Amino acid sequence: REVSAGLRVVIASYGSNQFRFLRETLAAGGHIPVAHLVSRSMRPSTAAEPDLLKATKEIVADVPPGMDLLLPGSTRTLAALLAGYEPDVLLVFGFNWRLPSDVLAVPRLGALNVHPSALPRYRGPSPVLWAIRNGDPFMGITLHRMTERIDAGPVLAQVDDLPLPDRATAQDVWELTKAALPGLINQALDHLVHGDPGAPQNEDQATYAGFPPPDWYTVTWQGTRRGLHNQIRVLRYMRRGEGPVVELQGSTVRVDGTSLTEDSGIRIACTDGPLWVTCTPAG
């Protein structure tokens, strides 16, 4: 089976790179991106945050001539805004707001969400962070039908074997996503066109990946060697590749990395064995 060309798609996302990639992927399949939708704040009816304003400016500069960019202030008028584009599909990838049922009902074939985990594992806002913190060797990507329950809709396409590097960065995750996503989008659109309801998620296997808890940010060197290694890994990821500043053997240092096998770094005695830490003076 092949997806019928010419689906009208509204893209809801968060950055110029993401919009451009989704737009080009859809166009390559013969589909028609008709508008971009941006959440200009973390929650509806709240003030925009500086990083969101910066991202929005970049998106505005990259929107193709003739394409509309929607910046709603709340979800109250969103259904009416979308209805004017007569969309077949709403494709969501990183949109901050929870979408109500009247918005999800607008697209003729439904709303499709891209979630960076193998659902039902790691529902919620921080799936990649929890995968790194838990030491998962792989990350997943799921495309699912959207319902009013966050990340709980039926699955239409999924992979679960994208290898996470030991020193994973946001760029690493983006490259993995870019490689896998076109095939997943085509597969999911195929299911939508042919009326496939999708595979229900197993609620017994569902886990939640919330925002990082406070204890992630405090490195005490008192845990297990693998637990500390993964804590440093996720802090580096969150700091865009820059290690955290910590207290180590009476000095304040910036941790460049840790190793579970012997290397030239400082040897730390953890509760279950040694961990080697490479660091530089903080300042």
Side-chain angles (χ1 to χ4, degrees), residues 231-251:
Q231 183 181 10
I232 297 298
R233 290 177 65 222
V234 76
L235 290 173
R236 289 185 76 255
Y237 182 89
M238 293 163 64
R239 296 172 59 90
R240 301 181 181 180
E242 184 179 80
V245 174
V246 302
E247 293 295 322
L248 179 62
Q249 297 183 345
S251 300

Side-chain angles (χ1 to χ4, degrees), residues 132 164-173 233 236-238 241:
I132 295 171
L164 277 171
D166 188 65
R167 294 194 178 189
T169 65
Q171 185 62 34
D172 293 326
V173 170
R233 290 177 65 222
R236 289 185 76 255
Y237 182 89
M238 293 163 64

Side-chain angles (χ1 to χ4, degrees), residues 35-253:
H36 287 354
L37 173 63
V38 174
S39 52
R40 65 185 186 189
S41 56
M42 287 302 295
R43 293 178 178 82
S45 303
T46 61
E49 298 189 10
D51 59 335
L52 290 168
L53 287 174
K54 179 177 181 294
T56 301
K57 290 179 181 179
E58 294 174 353
I59 294 166
V60 169
D62 193 56
V63 173
M67 178 174 286
D68 290 346
L69 176 64
L70 306 180
L71 291 167
S74 73
T75 57
R76 184 175 55 85
T77 59
L78 188 50
L81 283 174
L82 293 181
Y85 294 94
E86 299 181 343
D88 297 304
V89 177
L90 172 63
L91 178 61
V92 179
F93 180 28
F95 191 75
N96 289 325
W97 299 352
R98 183 171 186 165
L99 297 176
S101 58
D102 65 330
V103 172
L104 299 179
V106 170
R108 180 175 65 88
L109 298 177
L112 183 63
N113 184 51
V114 178
H115 187 74
S117 81
L119 291 171
R121 185 169 171 82
Y122 298 141
R123 292 175 181 172
S126 307
V128 175
L129 298 186
W130 281 92
I132 295 171
R133 182 66 181 91
N134 289 337
D136 295 357
F138 303 102
M139 65 169 281
I141 299 176
T142 303
L143 273 72
H144 66 93
R145 288 183 179 272
M146 294 185 71
T147 66
E148 286 194 273
R149 294 182 59 210
I150 298 296
D151 302 328
V155 172
L156 294 168
Q158 184 178 88
V159 292
D160 61 2
D161 59 353
L162 305 178
L164 277 171
D166 188 65
R167 294 194 178 189
T169 65
Q171 185 62 34
D172 293 326
V173 170
W174 177 233
E175 293 300 327
L176 291 170
T177 301
K178 285 198 300 182
L181 202 49
L184 293 171
I185 289 175
N186 289 335
Q187 182 181 347
L189 291 177
D190 178 79
H191 287 302
L192 289 179
V193 167
H194 292 92
D196 188 336
Q201 295 185 37
N202 186 339
E203 293 298 322
D204 292 337
Q205 297 177 0
T207 60
Y208 185 72
F211 293 111
D215 61 6
W216 281 19
Y217 299 93
T218 303
V219 179
T220 66
W221 309 109
Q222 300 302 310
T224 64
R225 59 199 299 267
R226 189 168 295 276
L228 287 165
H229 177 66
N230 290 329
Q231 183 181 10
I232 297 298
R233 290 177 65 222
V234 76
L235 290 173
R236 289 185 76 255
Y237 182 89
M238 293 163 64
R239 296 172 59 90
R240 301 181 181 180
E242 184 179 80
V245 174
V246 302
E247 293 295 322
L248 179 62
Q249 297 183 345
S251 300
T252 301
V253 299

